[in-house]
Amino acid sequence: MIRHIPEGVFPFDDCGYARTPLIPFAEQAIALDCLCDSGAPALELRGASASVPKAVPLRENRWRFELPPFQSAASLEYRFVCGEEHTAWFPVDVLRRVRVAAAAGTSAGWLRLHENVYLNFSFAGASFSTVLADHPEEAAPARNGDWTVELGEPGLWRVRRDGKIIAACHEIELGLRADGSVAWHALTVDGAQTRVWGTGERFDHVNQQGHGTCGKVVEHFTRQGQWAYLPTPFFLTDAGFGFYRDAACDVEMTFGSSIRIASRALPGRRDTWVLGAPAELLNAYLRLTGEPALPPEWAFGLWISANGWSCDADVDEQLEALAKYDCPASVMVLEAWSDESTFYQWGGAWKNPKRMIQKVRDAGLHLVLWQIPVLKAVKDCADVETVRRDREEAAAKGWAIHHADGAPYIIPERWFEGSMLPDFTSPEACEWWFSRREHLLRDGVEGFKTDGGEFLFGSDFLLRDGTHGVEAHNLYAMQYVRAYNEWMRRQGVNGVTFSRAGYAGAQTVPVHWAGDQLSTWEEMRAQFTAGLSAGLSGVLFWGFDIGGFAGELPSAELYLRATALACFSPVMQWHSEPRSGQFYATHDRAYNNDRSPWNLAEKQHAPEIIEIASAFARLRERLRPYLWEEAQNCVKRGRPLMAHLCLDFPNDPKALDCDDQYMLGRRYLVAPILQKGAQGRMVYLPEGSWRHFFTGETLPGGCERHFDCPLNEALVFERMDT
């Protein structure tokens, strides 16, 4: 086997078969790495005169060829050969870098950047957009109320508001191919901002000033750090401007003394700059990327889930516990329901799935089943014949994603290695895929936990709808989840998807959750950060795993603080990893690592967990009418249900800096306890009148004070002047 993926696989890990740099410039050496398990490979080049280097061994059958720097722009192709085996040809453009700090020509609505490269402007309301083109387009200059866009020197363009410059572009870098066309571009903008929000669901910082994003959908199991399951090429600032790039290639953004935005240059793709207060900027982004969708009302009750529930008896046990402890719930998620081969057939341990589903519905719950978008590798399946038949049919009829040479795409490593991916942009593929799952809806299933979707690597493929490989990786999860939503609508099911990965426009396919985290205080804080940043990136309805998903069981204190937070979050749910566990120390399949209150009470010898967690579940039921009313307002107004204070208090510096509180809807301010051992915390109450949700005390705003908070309460304050 010879393997080479120029883009690599996971950006946090050197796979040993990528190209570095992915987008090379003149005077840069190029390292071409491959995996070859049958000896030393050879490299073949065509289209450019260059000496062919010998293979240098790296590790574990990995080999490297290093091309010396090209002195000018060039176009070439390369492939790897070993005996009778060879890869496809991989094209690569070596680019010439041109820095543009002053326009070569200026007129109404356009700048000439270089030879036949123009930056055209268009204006609409409180926004303007730019697009690179090979010809100029005239447009009326923007003068709208208190802001003005000026083109030309000094620099390239600038935005004034009330006579003051709030953003100015002083340089654009162009990466030009040998034929002079633009393959890559980067712009550098000086802004008056001190706070930058958005860029997707971020686990590291809510305020990204001083940080940045690689712009790639990344699956990173626990401790996500800088990596995001759900990035967006969008940010908003406290200086009155925001930005969205209409592209799904990786958009790298860094925020320092200047803002730098870099990506491939895709034909016709626009950069849109929006102007206004934070809430107006977010609303403008939502208008650009799709009308928000409203989940069903039942999605706002308690969700219960554990990967270990794998038979009728497990379901019966949970339903009995809910009734015994007066712990109302509205959703049950089953992950270990399928045959683990097809993901549309029930596993053999389920005696009568239809009857079980009815029992769940009779108990007042709605059933959601786990899904993964793969045609699984035959070697990992029990039902070999069915899986082989499905794979062969999908490959033969073009329903699976294929490489440019016609070979089906295969996930190269890690999760579901060896699996194929269905092409959800193909109507025929969708019809075939969902025809195998129609029985689930007929039997009463009302939603799907649409996990995964991050494993389309490389760019040498074209999807059925014309999506090119350079954008397919970031778009695939959205295509997958959207297909499930559209299918349920066609079948007349008011259902829901519960998704981990996504991209721009995620508000059109709710709801989302934070993915996989350990049961630690640090991870709980990261989850909270992800929720705030997701909301500021257009994800209106979001949740997390109470007490964490993986590793040792959470302490009673951690679990109850997380339960209190979840009670006042858009989605309240507990969940846990497989019984064997990726991180659990014993790796004992018989050990019950559920994050249900009754299991934790037993394992931690803390009976109070059941009482307090069940009380929060009952409180959640009382909140459901409010949450449903606010959810409808969120969709109507373009507002996250879990909202950073900047959206409601844009002129309050303390509110802008507050990354550990939020508004749940328009009425409740929530200040969760996020530190181990804390008996309370300082809370900032913005201007107005507030009432403590649990004590009933009325409090003046515009100040910060300390509040105690026992484990059976949360620090929640009702806004009285709305």
Side-chain angles (χ1 to χ4, degrees), residues 109-132:
W110 58 265
L111 301 174
R112 182 168 175 264
L113 301 180
H114 178 77
E115 297 179 355
N116 292 322
V117 182
Y118 294 83
L119 187 67
N120 291 326
F121 289 72
S122 59
F123 307 96
S127 69
F128 68 96
S129 61
T130 64
V131 62
L132 288 173

Side-chain angles (χ1 to χ4, degrees), residues 263-514:
S263 75
R264 295 177 187 264
L266 302 178
R269 299 306 177 87
R270 291 188 173 272
D271 289 349
T272 299
W273 296 86
V274 291
L275 306 167
E280 295 170 321
L281 301 177
L282 179 58
N283 200 261
Y285 163 75
L286 294 174
R287 290 196 301 270
L288 288 168
T289 56
E291 182 179 351
L294 181 67
E297 186 278 337
W298 49 262
F300 297 98
L302 170 65
W303 295 48
I304 67 170
S305 176
N307 184 275
W309 301 342
S310 58
C311 63
D312 299 78
D314 291 333
V315 171
D316 291 343
E317 181 182 0
Q318 298 308 312
L319 296 180
E320 290 166 6
L322 292 174
K324 177 180 178 180
Y325 298 115
D326 189 18
C327 182
S330 66
V331 181
M332 173 177 279
V333 182
L334 294 180
E335 287 202 349
W337 69 276
S338 78
D339 58 1
E340 292 297 321
S341 296
T342 65
F343 305 107
Y344 58 76
Q345 298 177 144
W346 287 86
W350 300 92
K351 299 175 183 177
N352 190 327
K354 187 173 182 178
R355 184 173 61 192
M356 180 274 295
I357 294 170
Q358 189 59 52
K359 184 180 294 186
V360 170
R361 297 188 66 163
D362 290 345
L365 281 76
H366 302 258
L367 189 62
V368 171
L369 300 183
W370 186 75
Q371 288 284 273
I372 195 76
V374 299
L375 293 154
K376 197 172 180 181
V378 174
K379 64 182 176 62
D380 296 328
C381 296
D383 188 351
V384 171
E385 291 307 315
T386 300
V387 171
R388 180 179 288 116
R389 183 189 67 234
D390 285 352
R391 286 171 62 98
E392 289 175 353
E393 184 175 11
K397 296 184 177 179
W399 295 338
I401 293 175
H402 286 68
H403 291 287
D405 63 2
Y409 171 79
I410 302 295
I411 297 175
E413 62 175 74
R414 301 199 191 187
W415 206 29
F416 290 99
E417 177 182 347
S419 297
M420 294 162 54
L421 296 181
D423 186 345
F424 288 104
T425 72
S426 164
E428 296 82 5
C430 288
E431 182 180 358
W432 173 79
W433 180 267
F434 292 118
S435 68
R436 284 151 169 72
R437 291 159 173 79
E438 285 182 356
H439 66 98
L440 301 173
L441 296 186
R442 287 197 304 268
D443 290 346
V445 173
E446 296 178 86
F448 295 91
K449 186 172 184 178
T450 37
D451 201 356
E454 306 98 337
F455 300 101
L456 181 55
F457 304 114
S459 61
D460 62 328
F461 35 78
L462 187 70
L463 304 190
R464 171 65 181 277
D465 72 343
T467 301
H468 191 273
V470 298
E471 296 188 283
H473 171 81
N474 282 344
L475 287 181
Y476 185 74
M478 289 289 293
Q479 294 165 345
Y480 150 53
V481 176
R482 184 174 292 115
Y484 272 76
N485 278 270
E486 292 174 352
W487 168 56
M488 285 190 287
R489 281 196 295 271
R490 288 196 304 270
Q491 298 299 317
V493 175
N494 184 24
V496 68
T497 50
F498 198 36
S499 310
R500 179 176 73 180
Y503 198 67
Q507 71 277 3
T508 65
V509 286
V511 292
H512 294 80
W513 101 101

